[in-house]
Amino acid sequence: MAVCWDFSLVVVTAADSMRFTHSEGRACEAEYPFYSSCPADHGTRPPHPHRLDFQISDTRGTIEMTAPKGLLIVTAQVEADVIVCEDGLSFWGGVDPDTGLVIDAHHPLHGQSLAGKIVLMPTSRGSCSGSGVLLQLALNGCAPAALVFREDEEVLTLGALIASRMFDRNIGVLRLVPKDYEELRGKNTAKLQGNRLSAAQLSVDLHQVTQNDLDLSARDKAMLAGEIDKPAALAMEVICAMAAAQRAKRLIDVTRGHIDGCIYAHEANLTFATTMADMGATVAI
């Protein structure tokens, strides 16, 4: 079956997956980079795409487009004021790890507190040491209540995952599709309960990322189940959450790695390392 589609008049904010069903009932899936045809950035691919599924239901070419869902990466029960960062913020050097105040003198939120707030920003800025700053804020009780992103983000997401999985300090992490993100920008307060984000008339059901989003090998599953040891299971939980948030489909084994998190920027770095060591964690490559 050969079907030609003209997407020139269709606003596709992001997509990278197509699923085709043949008339005989056989199904196949193809990865394909779609490009935004929004007036603001015509002809360019969004830097951080969301997944959309397209299905051709019969040979006449009927196409069904399912709206993308926002992602719930770290769960939390939150009801708080919303604060908007129009520009990405580096927590390393930009946020005081002891108070939650924005100390980047060039950032529009300079002098404001992020503690206990639902913080919206398109994505964060480096350095990767921002993960440790967020962990320090969580341990101090001065962290944001939740972080809401519009694009892919790994630095603060990792810090929130460690705070949640290792220290039971939950900082919600969400990634919204652009439409919902823009609508939330105009709200003063918001609530995150279970898999639902609500703010005034806005109500968004989120997809909670889990290891079930990945095709794990038998060894991966054994590590995740704690069959090797507790530190390995914890590490796999974090890796799987990060991978699922990036819409990876599976994990691959590696033979080399870069050691990070060794900088002693504040107590959280040492607390993380000693906690892992006390559990008997070892490097596994």
Side-chain angles (χ1 to χ4, degrees):
M1 177 180 67
V3 180
C4 229
W5 294 99
D6 180 5
F7 286 101
S8 60
L9 298 179
V10 179
V11 175
V12 180
T13 55
D16 60 356
S17 177
M18 290 189 74
R19 185 175 293 108
F20 299 92
T21 303
H22 296 267
S23 56
E24 307 94 301
R26 293 181 293 109
C28 64
E29 184 170 316
E31 298 298 319
Y32 184 82
F34 281 83
Y35 294 81
S36 170
S37 56
C38 300
D41 54 352
H42 183 79
T44 62
R45 184 175 184 177
H48 303 283
H50 296 274
R51 185 178 300 279
L52 287 174
D53 292 321
F54 289 78
Q55 182 172 350
I56 297 177
S57 59
D58 55 38
T59 53
R60 293 191 303 273
T62 303
I63 188 166
E64 179 182 339
M65 185 167 65
T66 304
K69 258 191 172 184
L71 300 182
L72 177 60
I73 302 169
V74 182
T75 61
Q77 303 299 313
V78 172
E79 186 168 8
D81 292 340
V82 173
I83 187 169
V84 180
C85 292
E86 299 293 350
D87 302 320
L89 175 63
S90 171
F91 272 48
W92 170 246
V95 179
D96 187 329
D98 295 319
T99 64
L101 290 174
V102 177
I103 56 176
D104 181 349
H106 301 288
H107 196 276
L109 294 184
H110 177 252
Q112 296 194 45
S113 175
L114 305 182
K117 305 287 181 57
I118 296 175
V119 179
L120 269 71
M121 68 174 80
T123 188
S124 69
R125 288 169 34 217
S127 159
C128 60
S129 296
S131 301
V133 175
L134 187 62
L135 177 58
Q136 182 75 43
L137 287 165
L139 296 177
N140 288 341
C142 295
L147 298 166
V148 181
F149 302 108
R150 187 185 63 204
E151 303 168 7
D152 288 351
E153 199 284 334
E154 288 81 30
V155 174
L156 299 179
T157 299
L158 177 59
L161 280 166
I162 295 297
S164 171
R165 303 298 173 96
M166 289 185 65
F167 301 100
D168 294 323
R169 306 293 179 92
N170 286 5
I171 305 167
V173 178
L174 296 71
R175 189 183 311 147
L176 298 182
V177 298
K179 175 181 176 294
D180 294 334
Y181 181 92
E182 290 303 315
E183 189 168 348
L184 184 59
R185 284 179 71 248
K187 309 302 182 187
N188 295 322
T189 61
K191 181 178 182 179
L192 175 62
Q193 186 170 19
N195 288 11
R196 175 165 294 182
L197 173 70
S198 57
Q201 291 77 31
L202 175 67
S203 181
V204 180
D205 290 324
L206 304 164
H207 169 71
Q208 182 177 345
V209 301
T210 70
Q211 63 266 23
N212 295 328
D213 295 326
L214 304 171
D215 182 14
L216 298 176
S217 68
R219 183 171 180 272
D220 293 337
K221 292 177 180 178
M223 293 178 67
L224 190 60
E227 295 178 14
I228 297 183
D229 56 32
K230 182 179 178 180
L234 175 62
M236 278 297 292
E237 286 180 16
V238 174
I239 289 172
C240 287
M242 292 292 290
Q246 296 173 12
R247 293 181 177 80
K249 294 186 175 180
R250 62 187 178 89
L251 305 177
I252 60 172
D253 293 331
V254 297
T255 57
R256 299 179 183 180
H258 167 70
I259 298 176
D260 201 359
C262 298
I263 182 175
Y264 183 72
H266 31 68
E267 293 178 5
N269 297 92
L270 186 58
T271 300
F272 165 76
T274 55
T275 300
M276 290 296 287
D278 290 345
M279 286 192 295
T282 58
V283 176
I285 293 289

